[in-house]
Amino acid sequence: STTMSDADTTAPQAANDNDLFNVVEAANFLRLKRSTLDHYRCEGRGPIYRKHGARVFYTRASLMAWSERQMFSSTSTRVEKKK
């Protein structure tokens, strides 16, 4: 028989804002090439990231926040976020 604790460990996890993505996963999530995301990070134009030793990670929340800041209504006009 399956106990409740067994079911808890095999159930799919809901998306969480604090989920960590490595650079390849983050680039895929944003539909960018890894090299583009690396370039943005070096220029300070990319999403907020974390360093664990030499490894770079992004949270789902930081990826979504960065993506939401990239909204434009035309090639020259950035959409102002409503407060």
Side-chain angles (χ1 to χ4, degrees):
S1 78
T2 302
T3 65
M4 184 62 157
S5 62
D6 290 340
D8 290 343
T9 60
T10 59
Q13 296 293 317
N16 182 319
D17 282 350
N18 294 318
D19 289 343
L20 292 178
F21 292 77
N22 66 31
V23 177
V24 171
E25 293 165 338
N28 288 338
F29 183 84
L30 294 171
R31 299 184 178 168
L32 298 172
K33 291 182 181 179
R34 180 201 170 133
S35 59
T36 301
L37 186 56
D38 288 341
H39 180 74
Y40 286 172
R41 187 174 61 253
C42 289
E43 287 192 339
R45 295 191 310 149
I48 300 295
Y49 63 95
R50 298 177 182 188
K51 295 272 306 236
H52 295 190
R55 299 187 67 194
V56 172
F57 293 96
Y58 297 87
T59 61
R60 180 184 305 275
S62 71
L63 296 174
M64 289 304 299
W66 179 82
S67 178
E68 289 168 3
R69 291 191 303 269
Q70 308 308 308
M71 296 190 331
F72 296 85
S73 61
S74 71
T75 57
S76 61
T77 307
R78 184 178 292 270
V79 173
E80 294 295 324
K81 188 170 183 178
K82 293 180 174 65
K83 300 208 182 213

Coordinates of all heavy atoms in Angstrom, one line a residue:
S1 N 0.8 -1.2 0.0 CA 0.0 0.0 0.0 C 0.9 1.2 0.0 O 2.0 1.2 0.5 CB -1.0 0.0 1.2 OG -0.3 0.3 2.4
T2 N 0.4 2.3 -0.6 CA 1.1 3.6 -0.6 C 0.7 4.4 0.5 O -0.5 4.6 0.8 CB 0.8 4.3 -2.0 OG1 1.1 3.5 -3.0 CG2 1.5 5.6 -2.1
T3 N 1.7 5.0 1.2 CA 1.4 5.9 2.3 C 1.4 7.3 1.8 O 1.8 7.6 0.7 CB 2.5 5.8 3.4 OG1 3.7 6.2 2.8 CG2 2.7 4.4 3.9
M4 N 0.9 8.2 2.6 CA 0.7 9.6 2.2 C 2.1 10.2 1.9 O 2.3 10.9 1.0 CB 0.0 10.4 3.4 CG -0.2 11.8 3.0 SD -1.3 11.9 1.6 CE -1.9 13.5 1.8
S5 N 3.1 9.8 2.7 CA 4.5 10.4 2.5 C 5.0 9.9 1.1 O 5.7 10.7 0.5 CB 5.4 10.0 3.6 OG 5.6 8.6 3.7
D6 N 4.7 8.7 0.7 CA 5.2 8.2 -0.6 C 4.5 9.0 -1.7 O 5.2 9.4 -2.7 CB 4.9 6.7 -0.8 CG 5.7 5.8 0.0 OD1 6.8 6.2 0.5 OD2 5.3 4.6 0.3
A7 N 3.2 9.3 -1.6 CA 2.5 10.1 -2.6 C 3.1 11.5 -2.7 O 3.2 12.0 -3.7 CB 1.0 10.1 -2.2
D8 N 3.4 12.0 -1.5 CA 4.0 13.4 -1.5 C 5.3 13.5 -2.3 O 5.5 14.5 -2.9 CB 4.2 13.9 0.0 CG 2.9 14.1 0.7 OD1 1.8 14.2 0.1 OD2 3.0 14.2 1.9
T9 N 6.1 12.5 -2.2 CA 7.4 12.6 -2.8 C 7.4 12.3 -4.3 O 8.2 12.7 -5.1 CB 8.4 11.6 -2.2 OG1 7.9 10.3 -2.4 CG2 8.7 11.9 -0.8
T10 N 6.3 11.7 -4.8 CA 6.2 11.4 -6.2 C 5.3 12.3 -7.0 O 5.2 12.3 -8.2 CB 5.7 9.9 -6.5 OG1 4.4 9.8 -5.8 CG2 6.7 8.9 -5.9
A11 N 4.5 13.1 -6.3 CA 3.6 14.1 -6.9 C 4.4 15.2 -7.6 O 5.4 15.7 -7.1 CB 2.6 14.7 -5.9
P12 N 3.9 15.6 -8.8 CA 4.6 16.7 -9.5 C 4.5 18.0 -8.6 O 3.5 18.3 -8.0 CB 3.9 16.9 -10.8 CG 2.6 16.1 -10.6 CD 2.7 15.1 -9.5
Q13 N 5.6 18.8 -8.7 CA 5.6 20.0 -7.9 C 5.1 21.2 -8.7 O 5.3 21.2 -9.9 CB 7.1 20.3 -7.5 CG 7.7 19.3 -6.6 CD 7.1 19.3 -5.2 OE1 6.8 20.4 -4.7 NE2 6.8 18.1 -4.7
A14 N 4.3 22.0 -8.1 CA 3.8 23.2 -8.7 C 4.9 24.2 -8.9 O 5.9 24.2 -8.2 CB 2.7 23.9 -7.9
A15 N 4.8 25.0 -9.9 CA 5.9 26.1 -10.2 C 6.0 27.0 -9.0 O 5.0 27.3 -8.4 CB 5.5 26.9 -11.4
N16 N 7.2 27.3 -8.6 CA 7.5 28.1 -7.5 C 8.4 29.3 -7.9 O 9.3 29.0 -8.6 CB 8.2 27.2 -6.4 CG 8.5 27.9 -5.1 OD1 8.9 29.1 -5.1 ND2 8.3 27.2 -4.0
D17 N 8.1 30.5 -7.4 CA 8.9 31.6 -7.8 C 10.4 31.5 -7.4 O 11.3 32.1 -8.0 CB 8.4 32.9 -7.1 CG 7.2 33.5 -7.8 OD1 6.8 33.0 -8.9 OD2 6.5 34.4 -7.3
N18 N 10.7 30.6 -6.4 CA 12.0 30.4 -5.9 C 12.8 29.3 -6.6 O 13.9 29.0 -6.2 CB 12.1 30.3 -4.4 CG 11.6 31.6 -3.7 OD1 12.0 32.6 -4.1 ND2 10.8 31.4 -2.7
D19 N 12.1 28.6 -7.5 CA 12.8 27.5 -8.3 C 14.0 28.1 -8.9 O 14.0 29.2 -9.4 CB 11.9 27.0 -9.4 CG 10.7 26.2 -8.9 OD1 10.7 25.7 -7.7 OD2 9.8 25.9 -9.7
L20 N 15.1 27.3 -8.9 CA 16.4 27.7 -9.4 C 16.6 27.1 -10.8 O 16.3 25.9 -11.0 CB 17.6 27.3 -8.6 CG 17.7 28.0 -7.2 CD1 18.8 27.5 -6.4 CD2 17.8 29.5 -7.4
F21 N 17.0 27.9 -11.8 CA 17.4 27.5 -13.1 C 18.8 27.8 -13.4 O 19.4 28.8 -13.0 CB 16.6 28.4 -14.1 CG 15.1 28.2 -14.1 CD1 14.3 28.8 -13.1 CD2 14.5 27.5 -15.1 CE1 12.9 28.6 -13.2 CE2 13.1 27.3 -15.2 CZ 12.3 27.9 -14.2
N22 N 19.5 26.8 -14.0 CA 20.9 27.1 -14.4 C 20.9 27.9 -15.6 O 19.8 28.2 -16.1 CB 21.7 25.8 -14.5 CG 21.2 24.9 -15.7 OD1 20.7 25.4 -16.7 ND2 21.4 23.6 -15.5
V23 N 22.0 28.3 -16.2 CA 22.1 29.2 -17.3 C 21.3 28.7 -18.5 O 20.6 29.4 -19.2 CB 23.5 29.6 -17.6 CG1 23.6 30.5 -18.8 CG2 24.2 30.3 -16.4
V24 N 21.6 27.4 -18.8 CA 20.9 26.8 -20.0 C 19.4 26.7 -19.8 O 18.7 27.1 -20.7 CB 21.5 25.4 -20.3 CG1 20.7 24.6 -21.3 CG2 23.0 25.5 -20.6
E25 N 19.0 26.3 -18.6 CA 17.5 26.3 -18.4 C 16.9 27.7 -18.4 O 15.8 27.8 -19.0 CB 17.3 25.7 -17.0 CG 17.6 24.2 -16.9 CD 17.7 23.7 -15.5 OE1 17.9 24.5 -14.5 OE2 17.6 22.4 -15.3
A26 N 17.6 28.7 -17.9 CA 17.1 30.0 -17.9 C 17.0 30.6 -19.3 O 16.0 31.2 -19.7 CB 18.0 30.9 -17.1
A27 N 18.0 30.3 -20.1 CA 18.0 30.7 -21.5 C 16.8 30.1 -22.3 O 16.1 30.8 -23.0 CB 19.3 30.4 -22.2
N28 N 16.6 28.8 -22.1 CA 15.5 28.1 -22.7 C 14.2 28.7 -22.2 O 13.2 28.9 -23.0 CB 15.5 26.6 -22.4 CG 16.6 25.9 -23.1 OD1 17.1 26.4 -24.1 ND2 17.1 24.8 -22.6
F29 N 14.0 29.0 -20.9 CA 12.8 29.6 -20.4 C 12.5 30.9 -21.0 O 11.4 31.2 -21.3 CB 13.0 29.7 -18.9 CG 11.8 30.2 -18.1 CD1 10.8 29.4 -17.7 CD2 11.7 31.6 -17.8 CE1 9.7 29.9 -17.0 CE2 10.6 32.1 -17.2 CZ 9.6 31.2 -16.8
L30 N 13.5 31.7 -21.3 CA 13.4 33.0 -21.9 C 13.4 33.0 -23.4 O 13.2 34.0 -24.1 CB 14.5 34.0 -21.4 CG 14.4 34.3 -19.9 CD1 15.7 35.1 -19.5 CD2 13.1 35.1 -19.6
R31 N 13.6 31.8 -24.0 CA 13.7 31.6 -25.4 C 14.8 32.4 -26.0 O 14.7 33.0 -27.1 CB 12.4 31.8 -26.1 CG 11.3 30.9 -25.6 CD 10.0 31.0 -26.3 NE 9.1 30.0 -25.7 CZ 7.8 30.0 -25.9 NH1 7.3 30.9 -26.7 NH2 7.1 29.0 -25.4
L32 N 16.0 32.4 -25.3 CA 17.2 33.1 -25.8 C 18.3 32.0 -26.0 O 18.2 30.9 -25.4 CB 17.7 34.1 -24.7 CG 16.8 35.2 -24.3 CD1 17.4 36.0 -23.1 CD2 16.7 36.2 -25.5
K33 N 19.3 32.4 -26.7 CA 20.5 31.5 -26.8 C 21.3 31.7 -25.5 O 21.2 32.8 -24.9 CB 21.4 31.9 -28.0 CG 20.8 31.6 -29.3 CD 21.7 32.0 -30.4 CE 21.1 31.7 -31.8 NZ 22.0 32.1 -32.8
R34 N 22.0 30.7 -25.1 CA 22.8 30.8 -23.9 C 23.8 31.9 -24.0 O 24.0 32.7 -23.0 CB 23.5 29.5 -23.6 CG 24.3 29.6 -22.3 CD 25.4 28.6 -22.2 NE 26.3 29.0 -21.1 CZ 26.7 28.1 -20.2 NH1 26.3 26.9 -20.2 NH2 27.4 28.6 -19.2
S35 N 24.4 32.1 -25.2 CA 25.4 33.1 -25.3 C 24.8 34.5 -25.2 O 25.5 35.4 -24.7 CB 26.1 33.0 -26.7 OG 25.1 33.1 -27.7
T36 N 23.5 34.7 -25.6 CA 22.9 36.0 -25.4 C 22.7 36.3 -23.9 O 22.9 37.4 -23.5 CB 21.5 36.0 -26.1 OG1 21.8 35.7 -27.5 CG2 20.8 37.3 -26.0
L37 N 22.2 35.3 -23.2 CA 22.0 35.4 -21.7 C 23.3 35.7 -21.0 O 23.4 36.6 -20.2 CB 21.3 34.2 -21.1 CG 20.9 34.3 -19.7 CD1 20.0 35.5 -19.4 CD2 20.2 33.0 -19.2
D38 N 24.4 35.0 -21.4 CA 25.7 35.2 -20.9 C 26.1 36.7 -21.1 O 26.7 37.4 -20.3 CB 26.7 34.3 -21.5 CG 26.6 32.9 -21.0 OD1 26.0 32.6 -19.9 OD2 27.1 32.0 -21.7
H39 N 25.9 37.1 -22.4 CA 26.3 38.5 -22.8 C 25.5 39.5 -21.9 O 26.1 40.5 -21.4 CB 26.0 38.7 -24.3 CG 26.4 40.0 -24.8 ND1 27.7 40.4 -25.0 CD2 25.6 41.0 -25.2 CE1 27.7 41.6 -25.5 NE2 26.4 42.1 -25.6
Y40 N 24.2 39.3 -21.8 CA 23.4 40.3 -21.0 C 23.9 40.3 -19.6 O 24.0 41.4 -19.0 CB 21.9 39.8 -21.0 CG 21.2 40.1 -22.3 CD1 19.9 39.6 -22.5 CD2 21.8 40.9 -23.4 CE1 19.2 39.9 -23.7 CE2 21.1 41.1 -24.5 CZ 19.8 40.6 -24.7 OH 19.1 40.8 -25.8
R41 N 24.3 39.1 -19.0 CA 24.7 39.1 -17.6 C 26.0 39.9 -17.5 O 26.2 40.6 -16.5 CB 24.9 37.6 -17.2 CG 25.3 37.5 -15.7 CD 25.3 36.0 -15.2 NE 26.3 35.3 -15.9 CZ 26.1 34.4 -16.8 NH1 24.8 34.1 -17.2 NH2 27.1 33.7 -17.4
C42 N 27.0 39.7 -18.4 CA 28.2 40.4 -18.4 C 28.1 41.9 -18.5 O 28.8 42.7 -17.9 CB 29.2 39.9 -19.5 SG 29.8 38.2 -19.1
E43 N 27.1 42.4 -19.3 CA 26.8 43.8 -19.4 C 25.9 44.4 -18.3 O 25.7 45.6 -18.3 CB 26.1 44.0 -20.8 CG 27.0 43.9 -22.0 CD 26.4 44.4 -23.2 OE1 25.1 44.5 -23.3 OE2 27.1 44.7 -24.2
G44 N 25.4 43.5 -17.5 CA 24.5 44.0 -16.4 C 23.1 44.3 -17.0 O 22.3 45.0 -16.3
R45 N 22.7 43.7 -18.1 CA 21.4 44.0 -18.7 C 20.4 42.8 -18.5 O 19.3 42.9 -18.9 CB 21.5 44.2 -20.2 CG 22.3 45.5 -20.6 CD 22.2 45.8 -22.1 NE 22.5 44.7 -22.9 CZ 21.9 44.5 -24.1 NH1 21.0 45.4 -24.6 NH2 22.2 43.5 -24.9
G46 N 20.9 41.7 -18.0 CA 20.1 40.5 -17.9 C 19.3 40.4 -16.5 O 19.4 41.4 -15.7
P47 N 18.6 39.3 -16.4 CA 17.9 39.1 -15.1 C 18.9 39.0 -13.9 O 20.1 38.7 -14.0 CB 17.3 37.7 -15.3 CG 17.3 37.4 -16.8 CD 18.5 38.2 -17.3
I48 N 18.3 39.3 -12.7 CA 19.1 39.2 -11.5 C 19.5 37.7 -11.3 O 18.6 36.8 -11.6 CB 18.2 39.7 -10.3 CG1 17.8 41.1 -10.4 CG2 19.0 39.4 -9.0 CD1 19.0 42.1 -10.4
Y49 N 20.7 37.4 -10.9 CA 21.1 36.1 -10.8 C 21.8 35.8 -9.4 O 22.1 36.8 -8.7 CB 22.1 35.7 -11.9 CG 23.4 36.4 -12.0 CD1 24.5 35.9 -11.4 CD2 23.4 37.7 -12.6 CE1 25.7 36.6 -11.4 CE2 24.6 38.4 -12.7 CZ 25.7 37.9 -12.1 OH 26.9 38.6 -12.1
R50 N 22.0 34.6 -9.1 CA 22.7 34.2 -7.9 C 24.0 33.4 -8.3 O 24.0 32.7 -9.3 CB 21.8 33.2 -7.0 CG 20.5 33.9 -6.6 CD 19.7 32.9 -5.8 NE 18.5 33.5 -5.4 CZ 17.6 32.9 -4.6 NH1 17.9 31.7 -4.1 NH2 16.5 33.5 -4.3
K51 N 25.0 33.5 -7.4 CA 26.2 32.7 -7.7 C 26.3 31.7 -6.5 O 26.3 32.1 -5.3 CB 27.5 33.5 -7.7 CG 27.5 34.5 -8.8 CD 28.2 34.0 -10.1 CE 29.5 33.4 -9.9 NZ 30.6 33.9 -10.7
H52 N 26.5 30.4 -6.8 CA 26.8 29.4 -5.8 C 28.2 28.9 -6.2 O 28.3 28.0 -7.1 CB 25.8 28.2 -5.9 CG 24.4 28.6 -5.5 ND1 23.4 27.7 -5.3 CD2 23.8 29.9 -5.3 CE1 22.3 28.3 -5.0 NE2 22.5 29.6 -4.9
G53 N 29.2 29.4 -5.6 CA 30.5 29.1 -6.0 C 30.7 29.8 -7.4 O 30.5 30.9 -7.6
A54 N 31.1 28.9 -8.4 CA 31.3 29.4 -9.7 C 30.0 29.3 -10.6 O 30.0 29.8 -11.7 CB 32.4 28.7 -10.4
R55 N 29.0 28.6 -10.0 CA 27.8 28.4 -10.8 C 26.8 29.5 -10.7 O 26.6 30.1 -9.6 CB 27.2 27.1 -10.4 CG 28.2 25.9 -10.6 CD 27.5 24.6 -10.4 NE 26.5 24.4 -11.4 CZ 25.6 23.4 -11.3 NH1 25.6 22.6 -10.2 NH2 24.7 23.3 -12.2
V56 N 26.1 29.8 -11.8 CA 25.2 30.9 -11.9 C 23.8 30.3 -11.9 O 23.5 29.3 -12.6 CB 25.4 31.7 -13.2 CG1 24.3 32.8 -13.3 CG2 26.7 32.4 -13.1
F57 N 22.9 30.8 -11.1 CA 21.5 30.4 -11.1 C 20.5 31.6 -11.1 O 20.9 32.7 -10.7 CB 21.2 29.6 -9.8 CG 21.9 28.3 -9.7 CD1 23.1 28.2 -9.1 CD2 21.4 27.2 -10.3 CE1 23.8 27.0 -9.0 CE2 22.0 26.0 -10.3 CZ 23.2 25.9 -9.6
Y58 N 19.4 31.4 -11.7 CA 18.3 32.4 -11.7 C 17.1 31.8 -11.1 O 16.8 30.6 -11.2 CB 17.9 32.7 -13.2 CG 19.1 33.3 -14.0 CD1 20.0 32.5 -14.7 CD2 19.2 34.7 -14.1 CE1 21.0 33.0 -15.4 CE2 20.3 35.2 -14.9 CZ 21.1 34.4 -15.5 OH 22.1 34.9 -16.3
T59 N 16.3 32.7 -10.4 CA 15.0 32.2 -9.9 C 13.9 32.5 -11.0 O 14.1 33.3 -11.8 CB 14.6 32.9 -8.6 OG1 14.4 34.3 -8.9 CG2 15.6 32.7 -7.5
R60 N 12.9 31.7 -10.9 CA 11.7 31.9 -11.8 C 11.2 33.4 -11.7 O 11.0 34.0 -12.7 CB 10.6 30.9 -11.5 CG 9.4 31.0 -12.4 CD 8.3 30.1 -11.9 NE 8.7 28.7 -11.9 CZ 8.8 27.9 -12.9 NH1 8.4 28.3 -14.1 NH2 9.2 26.7 -12.8
A61 N 11.2 33.9 -10.5 CA 10.7 35.2 -10.2 C 11.6 36.3 -10.9 O 11.1 37.2 -11.5 CB 10.6 35.5 -8.7
S62 N 12.9 36.1 -10.9 CA 13.8 37.1 -11.5 C 13.7 37.0 -13.0 O 13.8 38.0 -13.7 CB 15.2 36.9 -11.0 OG 15.8 35.7 -11.5
L63 N 13.5 35.8 -13.6 CA 13.3 35.7 -15.0 C 12.1 36.3 -15.5 O 12.0 37.1 -16.5 CB 13.3 34.2 -15.4 CG 14.6 33.4 -15.2 CD1 14.5 32.0 -15.5 CD2 15.8 34.0 -15.9
M64 N 11.0 36.1 -14.7 CA 9.7 36.7 -15.1 C 9.7 38.3 -15.0 O 9.2 39.0 -15.8 CB 8.5 36.1 -14.3 CG 8.2 34.7 -14.6 SD 7.8 34.4 -16.4 CE 6.4 35.5 -16.5
A65 N 10.4 38.7 -13.9 CA 10.5 40.2 -13.7 C 11.2 40.8 -14.8 O 10.9 41.9 -15.3 CB 11.1 40.5 -12.3
W66 N 12.4 40.2 -15.2 CA 13.2 40.8 -16.3 C 12.4 40.8 -17.6 O 12.4 41.8 -18.3 CB 14.5 40.0 -16.4 CG 15.3 40.5 -17.5 CD1 16.2 41.5 -17.5 CD2 15.4 40.0 -18.9 NE1 16.8 41.7 -18.7 CE2 16.3 40.7 -19.6 CE3 14.7 38.9 -19.5 CZ2 16.6 40.5 -20.9 CZ3 15.0 38.7 -20.9 CH2 15.9 39.5 -21.6
S67 N 11.7 39.7 -17.9 CA 10.9 39.6 -19.1 C 9.8 40.6 -19.1 O 9.6 41.3 -20.2 CB 10.3 38.2 -19.2 OG 9.5 38.1 -20.3
E68 N 9.2 40.9 -18.0 CA 8.1 41.9 -17.9 C 8.6 43.3 -18.2 O 7.9 44.2 -18.6 CB 7.4 41.8 -16.6 CG 6.5 40.5 -16.6 CD 6.0 40.2 -15.2 OE1 6.2 41.0 -14.3 OE2 5.3 39.2 -15.1
R69 N 9.9 43.5 -17.9 CA 10.5 44.9 -18.1 C 10.9 45.1 -19.6 O 11.3 46.2 -19.9 CB 11.8 45.0 -17.2 CG 11.4 45.2 -15.7 CD 12.7 45.6 -14.9 NE 13.8 44.8 -15.0 CZ 14.1 43.7 -14.2 NH1 13.3 43.4 -13.3 NH2 15.2 43.0 -14.4
Q70 N 10.8 44.0 -20.4 CA 11.2 44.1 -21.8 C 10.0 44.3 -22.7 O 10.0 43.9 -23.8 CB 11.9 42.8 -22.2 CG 13.0 42.4 -21.3 CD 14.1 43.5 -21.0 OE1 14.6 44.1 -22.0 NE2 14.3 43.7 -19.8
M71 N 9.0 45.1 -22.2 CA 7.8 45.3 -23.0 C 7.9 46.6 -23.8 O 8.2 47.6 -23.2 CB 6.6 45.3 -22.1 CG 6.3 43.9 -21.5 SD 4.8 43.7 -20.6 CE 4.3 45.3 -20.0
F72 N 7.5 46.5 -25.1 CA 7.6 47.7 -26.0 C 6.3 47.7 -26.8 O 5.7 46.7 -27.1 CB 8.7 47.6 -26.9 CG 10.1 47.6 -26.3 CD1 10.6 46.5 -25.8 CD2 10.8 48.8 -26.1 CE1 11.9 46.5 -25.1 CE2 12.0 48.9 -25.5 CZ 12.5 47.7 -25.0
S73 N 5.8 49.0 -27.1 CA 4.6 49.1 -27.9 C 5.0 49.4 -29.3 O 4.2 49.3 -30.2 CB 3.7 50.2 -27.3 OG 4.4 51.5 -27.3
S74 N 6.2 49.8 -29.6 CA 6.8 50.0 -30.9 C 8.3 49.9 -30.8 O 8.8 49.7 -29.7 CB 6.4 51.4 -31.4 OG 7.2 52.4 -30.7
T75 N 9.0 50.0 -31.9 CA 10.4 49.8 -31.9 C 11.1 50.9 -31.0 O 12.3 50.8 -30.7 CB 11.0 49.8 -33.3 OG1 10.7 51.0 -33.9 CG2 10.5 48.6 -34.0
S76 N 10.4 52.0 -30.8 CA 11.1 53.1 -30.0 C 10.4 53.5 -28.7 O 10.9 54.3 -28.0 CB 11.1 54.4 -30.9 OG 9.7 54.8 -31.2
T77 N 9.3 52.8 -28.3 CA 8.6 53.2 -27.1 C 8.4 52.0 -26.2 O 7.8 51.0 -26.5 CB 7.2 53.7 -27.5 OG1 7.3 54.7 -28.5 CG2 6.4 54.2 -26.3
R78 N 9.0 52.2 -25.0 CA 8.9 51.2 -24.0 C 7.6 51.3 -23.3 O 7.2 52.5 -23.0 CB 10.1 51.3 -22.9 CG 10.1 50.2 -21.9 CD 11.2 50.4 -20.9 NE 12.5 50.1 -21.5 CZ 13.1 48.9 -21.6 NH1 12.5 47.9 -21.0 NH2 14.3 48.8 -22.1
V79 N 6.9 50.3 -23.0 CA 5.6 50.3 -22.3 C 5.9 50.6 -20.8 O 6.7 49.9 -20.2 CB 4.8 49.0 -22.4 CG1 3.6 49.0 -21.5 CG2 4.5 48.8 -23.9
E80 N 5.2 51.6 -20.3 CA 5.4 51.9 -18.8 C 4.6 51.0 -18.0 O 3.4 50.7 -18.3 CB 4.9 53.4 -18.5 CG 5.7 54.4 -19.2 CD 7.2 54.5 -18.7 OE1 7.4 54.3 -17.4 OE2 8.1 54.7 -19.5
K81 N 5.2 50.4 -17.0 CA 4.5 49.5 -16.1 C 3.6 50.3 -15.2 O 4.0 51.2 -14.6 CB 5.5 48.6 -15.3 CG 4.8 47.5 -14.6 CD 5.8 46.6 -14.0 CE 5.1 45.4 -13.3 NZ 6.0 44.5 -12.8
K82 N 2.3 49.9 -15.1 CA 1.4 50.5 -14.2 C 1.7 50.1 -12.7 O 1.9 49.0 -12.5 CB -0.1 50.1 -14.5 CG -0.5 50.7 -15.9 CD -1.9 50.3 -16.2 CE -2.4 50.9 -17.5 NZ -1.8 50.5 -18.7
K83 N 1.6 51.1 -11.8 CA 1.9 50.8 -10.4 C 0.7 50.5 -9.6 O -0.4 50.9 -9.9 CB 2.7 52.0 -9.8 CG 3.9 52.2 -10.6 CD 5.0 52.8 -9.7 CE 6.2 53.0 -10.6 NZ 7.4 52.9 -10.1

